[in-house]
Amino acid sequence: MSHQPVIDGLEFAQAASKLQGAWPVTEFARLRDALRTEEGTLRYELQGMPETHGRPALRLIVDGVLPLVCQRCLGALEYPLHIEALLLLAATQAEVDAEPLEAEGPESIVAGREMAVQALVEDEVLLAIPIAPRHAACARAAASAPGATARPFAGLRGLMDGWKH
Ligand SMILES: [Zn+2]
């Protein structure tokens, strides 16, 4: 039987509960398209926080290595993932929508009585992986003269640099 915890968000936060576990990457249906192989495991820790920024919250940590594909040379790219997210709990979607969007800082999510932890983890992972992952020192880039090759993802460079840890 696969690990499929479901939490009551508010109760979990107020009780400062803790949960941890791991899944093979193949168990994340929405992630599979981006993966080159079926190897890898993602570990997570979820911690309830009774009050953070005046609100109940969940702190989520995810670690693992994802087998992605370098979009420049199409070779294997072992992408190390480390996520630390703070998810403030809101009572309703309207409450979430009313908040200003901030690039940095905690996100808000609607607190449910039956929140699937795997879906929470997958949401954060999908936000964290680059749209066009590339080797930091790609063999193909080193082999070709600057400007000699079309670089369809060059425009994403600034965006991707912002995502590096
Ligand atoms: Zn590459």
PDB file of all heavy atoms in Angstrom, residues 70 73 135 138, ligand 1:
ATOM      1  N   CYS A  70      18.339  17.867 -20.011  1.00  0.00           N
ATOM      2  CA  CYS A  70      18.912  19.171 -20.351  1.00  0.00           C
ATOM      3  C   CYS A  70      18.314  19.615 -21.680  1.00  0.00           C
ATOM      4  O   CYS A  70      18.375  18.895 -22.669  1.00  0.00           O
ATOM      5  CB  CYS A  70      20.434  19.065 -20.456  1.00  0.00           C
ATOM      6  SG  CYS A  70      21.213  20.563 -21.108  1.00  0.00           S
ATOM      7  N   CYS A  73      21.323  20.050 -24.604  1.00  0.00           N
ATOM      8  CA  CYS A  73      21.992  18.899 -25.230  1.00  0.00           C
ATOM      9  C   CYS A  73      21.127  17.637 -25.180  1.00  0.00           C
ATOM     10  O   CYS A  73      21.498  16.620 -25.742  1.00  0.00           O
ATOM     11  CB  CYS A  73      23.327  18.625 -24.542  1.00  0.00           C
ATOM     12  SG  CYS A  73      23.176  17.983 -22.864  1.00  0.00           S
ATOM     13  N   HIS A 135      22.184  22.006 -18.140  1.00  0.00           N
ATOM     14  CA  HIS A 135      23.407  21.837 -17.369  1.00  0.00           C
ATOM     15  C   HIS A 135      24.024  23.207 -17.103  1.00  0.00           C
ATOM     16  O   HIS A 135      24.044  24.055 -18.003  1.00  0.00           O
ATOM     17  CB  HIS A 135      24.429  21.011 -18.157  1.00  0.00           C
ATOM     18  CG  HIS A 135      24.018  19.582 -18.350  1.00  0.00           C
ATOM     19  ND1 HIS A 135      23.800  19.036 -19.589  1.00  0.00           N
ATOM     20  CD2 HIS A 135      23.787  18.588 -17.451  1.00  0.00           C
ATOM     21  CE1 HIS A 135      23.457  17.760 -19.453  1.00  0.00           C
ATOM     22  NE2 HIS A 135      23.427  17.457 -18.169  1.00  0.00           N
ATOM     23  N   CYS A 138      27.158  22.987 -19.822  1.00  0.00           N
ATOM     24  CA  CYS A 138      26.649  22.013 -20.774  1.00  0.00           C
ATOM     25  C   CYS A 138      27.713  21.691 -21.822  1.00  0.00           C
ATOM     26  O   CYS A 138      28.333  22.592 -22.380  1.00  0.00           O
ATOM     27  CB  CYS A 138      25.401  22.566 -21.446  1.00  0.00           C
ATOM     28  SG  CYS A 138      24.618  21.377 -22.538  1.00  0.00           S
TER      29      CYS A 138
HETATM   30 ZN    ZN B   1      23.349  19.809 -21.408  1.00  0.00          ZN
END
